[in-house]
Amino acid sequence: MTGTLQLQGVTKSYGSRRVLDDISFPVRAGQLTGFVGGNGAGKTTTMRIILGLLVADGGSVTLGGSELTGDIRRQFGYMPEERGLYPKMKVLEQIVYFARLHGLSKADATAKATALLGELGLEERLNDNIETLSLGNQQRAQIAASLVHEPEVLILDEPFSGLDPIAVETVAGVLQERASRGVSVLFSSHQLDVVERLCDDLVIIAGGTIRAAGARDELREQFAAPRWELSGTGDVGWLRDEPGVSVVDFEGGSAVFDAEHPAIAQRVLRRAMQDGDVSRFGPQHPTLAQIFKEVIQ
């Protein structure tokens, strides 16, 4: 079954403490959805409810409009934040074992595991014991375990934790390739720059509530301040005296400024074009880190 994974009104409490309150957001097929929030915000609890490891007090989780069943969830792939590998097993043996648990024949499991481990850069470590791997390579093996049965939905809790920059790019490429096949990918991460670069959609959670959710570029527009960038060949020092303009930064022939109204920004552009060539002009979009800081306050 394929389609959008949809959470609608999901709630969860432990005694009198409500840890999830009306959680609603989609994870679209063929998209990478970044799930960000501080420690204790509710990310892992949400993921465990999706996977059926916890039962919600209220709300629903559906895939393509259908309630999740055990058979549907068997098509999911999950990587927990905690290590879930057997340290004494060899890398290939471990991934083949997980593939066999999903019903693959030994031949298919071995072929898929070998190819996947090569894709993740572990082709030279197939016969090494898990415990001899670096933490980053153990992380890659754990990701392989979640992918080897070719899931339709992929849920990853901190997949980039402990990875060096080269490994981050390797894993990111694997996830992007899976999304291009139509897999729905939801992953949490504290590395906001990685999330912002990779994800089509973003979900920000704090205190058990969704503070912002939507397409990355739409959220950038929604939370954009009236801030503009200007670069050109002319002197822009006159900006300091321009009515309705507050200069944020000067550097060479470039400036960043706040304008009280878009019409003022257009007036600035016309003046800059009179003084020289303009190579860049437009609104400055906020980073995910800036949006995150704004919505959780």
Side-chain angles (χ1 to χ4, degrees):
M1 173 178 290
T2 59
T4 297
L5 179 71
Q6 179 69 53
L7 289 83
Q8 190 66 47
V10 173
T11 62
K12 180 67 176 177
S13 298
Y14 293 111
S16 61
R17 184 170 66 95
R18 176 158 288 195
V19 294
L20 296 179
D21 188 6
D22 194 24
I23 299 298
S24 301
F25 64 87
V27 182
R28 295 182 290 161
Q31 304 289 335
L32 288 163
T33 299
F35 195 25
V36 300
N39 292 330
K43 302 187 300 297
T44 297
T45 299
T46 302
M47 289 179 167
R48 288 175 175 171
I49 287 173
I50 293 172
L51 293 156
L53 302 175
L54 289 174
V55 177
D57 298 331
S60 64
V61 184
T62 58
L63 181 64
S66 298
E67 292 286 341
L68 298 186
T69 63
D71 286 341
I72 291 174
R73 286 190 170 105
R74 275 190 280 276
Q75 299 303 314
F76 288 15
Y78 175 50
M79 193 205 83
E81 185 175 8
E82 306 83 7
R83 292 283 184 268
L85 304 175
Y86 298 101
K88 301 295 183 183
M89 289 182 75
K90 290 180 170 53
V91 175
L92 178 60
E93 179 186 13
Q94 173 80 107
I95 307 308
V96 169
Y97 171 75
F98 280 116
R100 296 297 306 276
L101 289 178
H102 282 278
L104 276 71
S105 69
K106 185 174 182 179
D108 284 347
T110 301
K112 290 182 183 298
T114 302
L116 180 56
L117 289 166
E119 196 176 352
L120 286 162
L122 291 176
E123 61 274 6
E124 296 182 359
R125 310 303 298 271
L126 299 184
N127 294 312
D128 293 350
N129 286 355
I130 292 290
E131 64 184 357
T132 68
L133 301 183
S134 67
L135 291 179
N137 281 338
Q138 288 185 30
Q139 187 81 337
R140 296 195 212 195
Q142 185 126 322
I143 291 168
S146 70
L147 282 168
V148 70
H149 59 295
E150 299 183 350
E152 296 178 2
V153 176
L154 190 56
I155 310 292
L156 305 172
D157 202 349
E158 295 291 339
F160 298 102
S161 177
L163 298 184
D164 62 36
I166 293 175
V168 167
E169 292 307 310
T170 298
V171 171
V174 170
L175 298 185
Q176 288 172 318
E177 196 279 333
R178 294 311 186 274
S180 73
R181 298 186 194 176
V183 175
S184 303
V185 182
L186 175 69
F187 74 89
S188 69
S189 179
H190 287 100
Q191 295 164 263
L192 299 184
D193 57 330
V194 175
V195 175
E196 182 171 22
R197 178 165 54 86
L198 289 182
C199 288
D200 306 288
D201 296 331
L202 300 170
V203 179
I204 301 175
I205 186 171
T209 64
I210 301 300
R211 303 298 178 88
R216 177 188 57 194
D217 292 341
E218 291 176 1
L219 289 179
R220 282 174 170 168
E221 292 292 338
Q222 179 182 343
F223 291 95
R227 184 158 291 176
W228 300 78
E229 297 176 88
L230 171 65
S231 298
T233 59
D235 177 18
V236 292
W238 50 268
L239 264 174
R240 291 190 177 94
D241 302 318
E242 192 72 14
V245 169
S246 175
V247 175
V248 177
D249 187 36
F250 271 120
E251 184 177 350
S254 301
V256 176
F257 65 94
D258 292 339
E260 295 177 357
H261 192 276
I264 295 174
Q266 295 302 316
R267 188 183 73 214
V268 167
L269 174 60
R270 289 193 294 270
R271 168 72 186 274
M273 292 175 66
Q274 291 172 1
D275 291 351
D277 293 331
V278 174
S279 59
R280 180 179 176 83
F281 178 80
Q284 188 180 70
H285 296 296
T287 65
L288 175 55
Q290 291 169 327
I291 295 173
F292 181 78
K293 183 178 179 180
E294 180 176 342
V295 301
I296 67 170
Q297 289 178 341

